[in-house]
Amino acid sequence: MFKIMLKINLITAIIITTLLSSCGFHTPYKNSSINAFITSDKNNLFADELKKRFNQEAPQTLTIKIGSESQNKQTSSYSSDGKTSGYTLSLNVPVKVISSDNKLLLSQDLTASTHLSKITSSTQADRLQTEESYTQLRNTIIKKLLRRLSKLNEN
């Protein structure tokens, strides 16, 4: 009986681990060697989230200027009765990275996009799904930026 319970627990742990890893679950990424002075407009969600990813104890070797993010929601598919059934969401954030000696290291609009199927039964659920998708797009762009900053930090 004990062996059967042990096998069931092991199988359950393997299934949960597989499901969590396949859906993209991971521990939050924090860059341990980079810190930057971040400037942006007030109430900039991208800048607020980016600040959380830096090691505040490391010296600030870069200045990052974050522009206003722009969100775009376009209809991408229709149902057979002509109603909207899907959207393409995109997020664009202008970013400038300046070194401590005032050299421009990066000036680029970082973008990410995703497809979203509309939830037909609830307007509120559709709105919440859209907000969550923009949060995921913001995190995707932050990861892109952190990878580029890591490469700049290597040089």
Short mmCIF file of all heavy atoms in Angstrom, two decimals, residues 82-123:
data_model
loop_
_atom_site.label_atom_id
_atom_site.label_comp_id
_atom_site.label_asym_id
_atom_site.label_seq_id
_atom_site.Cartn_x
_atom_site.Cartn_y
_atom_site.Cartn_z
N GLY A 82 -20.08 37.19 -38.29
CA GLY A 82 -19.51 38.51 -38.51
C GLY A 82 -19.09 39.26 -37.27
O GLY A 82 -18.67 40.41 -37.35
N LYS A 83 -19.15 38.63 -36.10
CA LYS A 83 -18.73 39.29 -34.86
C LYS A 83 -17.25 39.03 -34.61
O LYS A 83 -16.70 38.02 -35.03
CB LYS A 83 -19.56 38.78 -33.69
CG LYS A 83 -21.02 39.17 -33.77
CD LYS A 83 -21.78 38.71 -32.55
CE LYS A 83 -23.24 39.12 -32.67
NZ LYS A 83 -24.02 38.68 -31.52
N THR A 84 -16.64 39.95 -33.91
CA THR A 84 -15.23 39.82 -33.58
C THR A 84 -15.01 38.60 -32.69
O THR A 84 -15.69 38.42 -31.69
CB THR A 84 -14.74 41.08 -32.85
OG1 THR A 84 -14.94 42.21 -33.70
CG2 THR A 84 -13.28 40.98 -32.48
N SER A 85 -14.03 37.76 -33.07
CA SER A 85 -13.73 36.59 -32.25
C SER A 85 -12.29 36.55 -31.76
O SER A 85 -11.94 35.72 -30.94
CB SER A 85 -14.04 35.30 -33.03
OG SER A 85 -13.19 35.21 -34.15
N GLY A 86 -11.45 37.46 -32.26
CA GLY A 86 -10.07 37.47 -31.81
C GLY A 86 -9.40 38.81 -32.07
O GLY A 86 -9.82 39.57 -32.94
N TYR A 87 -8.39 39.08 -31.27
CA TYR A 87 -7.64 40.32 -31.37
C TYR A 87 -6.16 40.02 -31.47
O TYR A 87 -5.68 39.00 -31.00
CB TYR A 87 -7.83 41.17 -30.11
CG TYR A 87 -9.24 41.55 -29.80
CD1 TYR A 87 -9.94 40.93 -28.77
CD2 TYR A 87 -9.88 42.55 -30.51
CE1 TYR A 87 -11.23 41.28 -28.46
CE2 TYR A 87 -11.18 42.92 -30.21
CZ TYR A 87 -11.85 42.28 -29.19
OH TYR A 87 -13.13 42.64 -28.88
N THR A 88 -5.42 40.97 -32.03
CA THR A 88 -3.98 40.98 -31.93
C THR A 88 -3.63 42.17 -31.05
O THR A 88 -3.99 43.31 -31.36
CB THR A 88 -3.30 41.12 -33.30
OG1 THR A 88 -3.65 39.99 -34.10
CG2 THR A 88 -1.79 41.18 -33.16
N LEU A 89 -2.99 41.88 -29.93
CA LEU A 89 -2.56 42.93 -29.01
C LEU A 89 -1.08 43.17 -29.22
O LEU A 89 -0.30 42.23 -29.34
CB LEU A 89 -2.80 42.50 -27.56
CG LEU A 89 -4.21 42.12 -27.15
CD1 LEU A 89 -4.23 41.69 -25.69
CD2 LEU A 89 -5.18 43.25 -27.38
N SER A 90 -0.69 44.42 -29.25
CA SER A 90 0.73 44.74 -29.34
C SER A 90 1.06 45.85 -28.36
O SER A 90 0.22 46.69 -28.04
CB SER A 90 1.13 45.12 -30.77
OG SER A 90 0.41 46.25 -31.19
N LEU A 91 2.28 45.81 -27.89
CA LEU A 91 2.77 46.79 -26.93
C LEU A 91 4.10 47.32 -27.44
O LEU A 91 4.96 46.54 -27.87
CB LEU A 91 2.96 46.14 -25.55
CG LEU A 91 3.35 47.05 -24.41
CD1 LEU A 91 2.22 48.03 -24.09
CD2 LEU A 91 3.68 46.23 -23.17
N ASN A 92 4.26 48.63 -27.42
CA ASN A 92 5.46 49.28 -27.93
C ASN A 92 5.98 50.22 -26.85
O ASN A 92 5.21 51.03 -26.31
CB ASN A 92 5.12 50.05 -29.21
CG ASN A 92 6.32 50.73 -29.81
OD1 ASN A 92 7.43 50.27 -29.64
ND2 ASN A 92 6.08 51.82 -30.50
N VAL A 93 7.28 50.10 -26.53
CA VAL A 93 7.89 50.95 -25.51
C VAL A 93 9.21 51.51 -26.05
O VAL A 93 10.14 50.76 -26.33
CB VAL A 93 8.17 50.15 -24.21
CG1 VAL A 93 8.78 51.06 -23.16
CG2 VAL A 93 6.92 49.49 -23.69
N PRO A 94 9.30 52.85 -26.20
CA PRO A 94 10.58 53.44 -26.61
C PRO A 94 11.56 53.46 -25.44
O PRO A 94 11.21 53.86 -24.33
CB PRO A 94 10.20 54.86 -27.05
CG PRO A 94 8.83 55.10 -26.55
CD PRO A 94 8.22 53.81 -26.15
N VAL A 95 12.79 53.02 -25.72
CA VAL A 95 13.80 52.90 -24.67
C VAL A 95 15.12 53.48 -25.17
O VAL A 95 15.53 53.22 -26.31
CB VAL A 95 14.02 51.41 -24.29
CG1 VAL A 95 15.16 51.27 -23.30
CG2 VAL A 95 12.76 50.81 -23.73
N LYS A 96 15.77 54.26 -24.31
CA LYS A 96 17.12 54.75 -24.57
C LYS A 96 17.99 54.36 -23.39
O LYS A 96 17.60 54.55 -22.24
CB LYS A 96 17.15 56.27 -24.74
CG LYS A 96 16.52 56.75 -26.01
CD LYS A 96 16.68 58.25 -26.16
CE LYS A 96 16.00 58.69 -27.46
NZ LYS A 96 16.14 60.12 -27.66
N VAL A 97 19.17 53.81 -23.70
CA VAL A 97 20.11 53.41 -22.65
C VAL A 97 21.37 54.24 -22.85
O VAL A 97 21.95 54.27 -23.94
CB VAL A 97 20.45 51.91 -22.73
CG1 VAL A 97 21.45 51.53 -21.65
CG2 VAL A 97 19.18 51.07 -22.60
N ILE A 98 21.78 54.91 -21.78
CA ILE A 98 22.93 55.81 -21.82
C ILE A 98 23.94 55.34 -20.78
O ILE A 98 23.57 55.05 -19.64
CB ILE A 98 22.49 57.26 -21.56
CG1 ILE A 98 21.45 57.67 -22.60
CG2 ILE A 98 23.67 58.21 -21.54
CD1 ILE A 98 20.72 58.95 -22.31
N SER A 99 25.19 55.31 -21.19
CA SER A 99 26.26 54.86 -20.28
C SER A 99 26.59 55.96 -19.27
O SER A 99 26.14 57.11 -19.40
CB SER A 99 27.50 54.48 -21.06
OG SER A 99 28.07 55.63 -21.66
N SER A 100 27.43 55.63 -18.30
CA SER A 100 27.82 56.60 -17.27
C SER A 100 28.63 57.76 -17.85
O SER A 100 28.66 58.84 -17.28
CB SER A 100 28.60 55.92 -16.16
OG SER A 100 29.74 55.27 -16.70
N ASP A 101 29.26 57.55 -19.02
CA ASP A 101 29.99 58.64 -19.67
C ASP A 101 29.17 59.30 -20.80
O ASP A 101 29.73 59.87 -21.73
CB ASP A 101 31.35 58.16 -20.17
CG ASP A 101 31.26 56.98 -21.12
OD1 ASP A 101 30.16 56.41 -21.26
OD2 ASP A 101 32.30 56.63 -21.71
N ASN A 102 27.84 59.19 -20.69
CA ASN A 102 26.88 59.83 -21.60
C ASN A 102 26.94 59.37 -23.05
O ASN A 102 26.63 60.13 -23.97
CB ASN A 102 26.98 61.36 -21.54
CG ASN A 102 26.37 61.91 -20.27
OD1 ASN A 102 25.45 61.32 -19.72
ND2 ASN A 102 26.89 63.03 -19.80
N LYS A 103 27.35 58.14 -23.28
CA LYS A 103 27.29 57.56 -24.62
C LYS A 103 25.95 56.85 -24.79
O LYS A 103 25.52 56.12 -23.90
CB LYS A 103 28.41 56.54 -24.84
CG LYS A 103 29.77 57.15 -25.02
CD LYS A 103 30.78 56.07 -25.36
CE LYS A 103 32.16 56.65 -25.51
NZ LYS A 103 33.15 55.60 -25.77
N LEU A 104 25.32 57.06 -25.93
CA LEU A 104 24.07 56.38 -26.23
C LEU A 104 24.39 54.94 -26.64
O LEU A 104 25.03 54.70 -27.65
CB LEU A 104 23.32 57.11 -27.36
CG LEU A 104 21.97 56.54 -27.73
CD1 LEU A 104 20.99 56.65 -26.57
CD2 LEU A 104 21.41 57.27 -28.95
N LEU A 105 23.95 53.99 -25.83
CA LEU A 105 24.23 52.58 -26.08
C LEU A 105 23.09 51.90 -26.84
O LEU A 105 23.33 50.95 -27.59
CB LEU A 105 24.46 51.84 -24.76
CG LEU A 105 25.61 52.36 -23.90
CD1 LEU A 105 25.63 51.63 -22.56
CD2 LEU A 105 26.93 52.22 -24.62
N LEU A 106 21.87 52.37 -26.64
CA LEU A 106 20.71 51.75 -27.27
C LEU A 106 19.60 52.77 -27.37
O LEU A 106 19.32 53.48 -26.40
CB LEU A 106 20.24 50.55 -26.43
CG LEU A 106 18.99 49.82 -26.89
CD1 LEU A 106 19.25 49.03 -28.16
CD2 LEU A 106 18.48 48.88 -25.80
N SER A 107 19.01 52.86 -28.52
CA SER A 107 17.82 53.70 -28.71
C SER A 107 16.91 52.93 -29.64
O SER A 107 17.18 52.81 -30.84
CB SER A 107 18.21 55.04 -29.32
OG SER A 107 17.05 55.82 -29.53
N GLN A 108 15.84 52.39 -29.07
CA GLN A 108 15.00 51.49 -29.85
C GLN A 108 13.60 51.44 -29.26
O GLN A 108 13.41 51.59 -28.06
CB GLN A 108 15.62 50.09 -29.84
CG GLN A 108 14.98 49.13 -30.78
CD GLN A 108 15.76 47.81 -30.82
OE1 GLN A 108 16.58 47.53 -29.98
NE2 GLN A 108 15.47 47.02 -31.82
N ASP A 109 12.63 51.20 -30.13
CA ASP A 109 11.27 50.90 -29.70
C ASP A 109 11.17 49.39 -29.55
O ASP A 109 11.30 48.67 -30.54
CB ASP A 109 10.24 51.39 -30.72
CG ASP A 109 10.08 52.89 -30.71
OD1 ASP A 109 10.75 53.57 -29.91
OD2 ASP A 109 9.30 53.40 -31.53
N LEU A 110 10.97 48.92 -28.34
CA LEU A 110 10.85 47.49 -28.09
C LEU A 110 9.38 47.11 -28.19
O LEU A 110 8.52 47.80 -27.64
CB LEU A 110 11.40 47.15 -26.71
CG LEU A 110 12.87 47.49 -26.50
CD1 LEU A 110 13.28 47.19 -25.07
CD2 LEU A 110 13.75 46.74 -27.47
N THR A 111 9.10 46.02 -28.89
CA THR A 111 7.71 45.62 -29.12
C THR A 111 7.50 44.15 -28.82
O THR A 111 8.44 43.35 -28.88
CB THR A 111 7.28 45.88 -30.59
OG1 THR A 111 8.12 45.10 -31.44
CG2 THR A 111 7.42 47.34 -30.95
N ALA A 112 6.26 43.83 -28.54
CA ALA A 112 5.83 42.44 -28.38
C ALA A 112 4.35 42.39 -28.75
O ALA A 112 3.63 43.38 -28.61
CB ALA A 112 6.04 41.96 -26.95
N SER A 113 3.92 41.25 -29.26
CA SER A 113 2.51 41.11 -29.62
C SER A 113 2.04 39.68 -29.35
O SER A 113 2.84 38.77 -29.22
CB SER A 113 2.28 41.48 -31.08
OG SER A 113 3.00 40.62 -31.92
N THR A 114 0.72 39.54 -29.28
CA THR A 114 0.11 38.24 -29.03
C THR A 114 -1.29 38.23 -29.61
O THR A 114 -1.89 39.28 -29.84
CB THR A 114 0.06 37.92 -27.52
OG1 THR A 114 -0.35 36.57 -27.34
CG2 THR A 114 -0.89 38.82 -26.77
N HIS A 115 -1.79 37.02 -29.86
CA HIS A 115 -3.17 36.86 -30.32
C HIS A 115 -4.03 36.48 -29.13
O HIS A 115 -3.61 35.72 -28.27
CB HIS A 115 -3.27 35.78 -31.40
CG HIS A 115 -4.68 35.57 -31.88
ND1 HIS A 115 -5.30 36.45 -32.73
CD2 HIS A 115 -5.57 34.61 -31.61
CE1 HIS A 115 -6.53 36.03 -32.96
NE2 HIS A 115 -6.72 34.90 -32.29
N LEU A 116 -5.24 37.00 -29.10
CA LEU A 116 -6.14 36.78 -27.99
C LEU A 116 -7.52 36.46 -28.52
O LEU A 116 -8.05 37.18 -29.35
CB LEU A 116 -6.19 38.06 -27.15
CG LEU A 116 -6.90 38.06 -25.83
CD1 LEU A 116 -6.21 37.10 -24.87
CD2 LEU A 116 -6.89 39.46 -25.25
N SER A 117 -8.08 35.35 -28.09
CA SER A 117 -9.45 35.00 -28.47
C SER A 117 -10.42 35.70 -27.53
O SER A 117 -10.23 35.70 -26.32
CB SER A 117 -9.67 33.49 -28.39
OG SER A 117 -8.85 32.83 -29.32
N LYS A 118 -11.45 36.28 -28.10
CA LYS A 118 -12.43 37.03 -27.32
C LYS A 118 -13.30 36.08 -26.51
O LYS A 118 -13.74 35.04 -27.00
CB LYS A 118 -13.30 37.87 -28.24
CG LYS A 118 -14.28 38.74 -27.50
CD LYS A 118 -15.07 39.62 -28.42
CE LYS A 118 -16.03 40.48 -27.63
NZ LYS A 118 -16.82 41.34 -28.45
N ILE A 119 -13.55 36.45 -25.27
CA ILE A 119 -14.47 35.71 -24.42
C ILE A 119 -15.85 36.31 -24.68
O ILE A 119 -16.13 37.46 -24.31
CB ILE A 119 -14.09 35.82 -22.93
CG1 ILE A 119 -12.69 35.25 -22.70
CG2 ILE A 119 -15.12 35.13 -22.06
CD1 ILE A 119 -12.16 35.44 -21.31
N THR A 120 -16.70 35.56 -25.33
CA THR A 120 -17.98 36.10 -25.79
C THR A 120 -19.01 36.26 -24.68
O THR A 120 -19.90 37.08 -24.79
CB THR A 120 -18.58 35.21 -26.89
OG1 THR A 120 -18.73 33.89 -26.37
CG2 THR A 120 -17.70 35.19 -28.10
N SER A 121 -18.89 35.51 -23.61
CA SER A 121 -19.95 35.51 -22.60
C SER A 121 -19.85 36.69 -21.62
O SER A 121 -20.83 37.02 -20.98
CB SER A 121 -19.93 34.20 -21.83
OG SER A 121 -18.68 34.05 -21.18
N SER A 122 -18.68 37.31 -21.52
CA SER A 122 -18.53 38.34 -20.49
C SER A 122 -17.60 39.46 -20.94
O SER A 122 -16.45 39.21 -21.29
CB SER A 122 -17.99 37.71 -19.22
OG SER A 122 -17.65 38.70 -18.27
N THR A 123 -18.11 40.67 -20.91
CA THR A 123 -17.29 41.83 -21.25
C THR A 123 -16.21 42.04 -20.21
O THR A 123 -15.08 42.37 -20.54
CB THR A 123 -18.18 43.09 -21.35
OG1 THR A 123 -19.21 42.83 -22.29
CG2 THR A 123 -17.38 44.29 -21.79
#
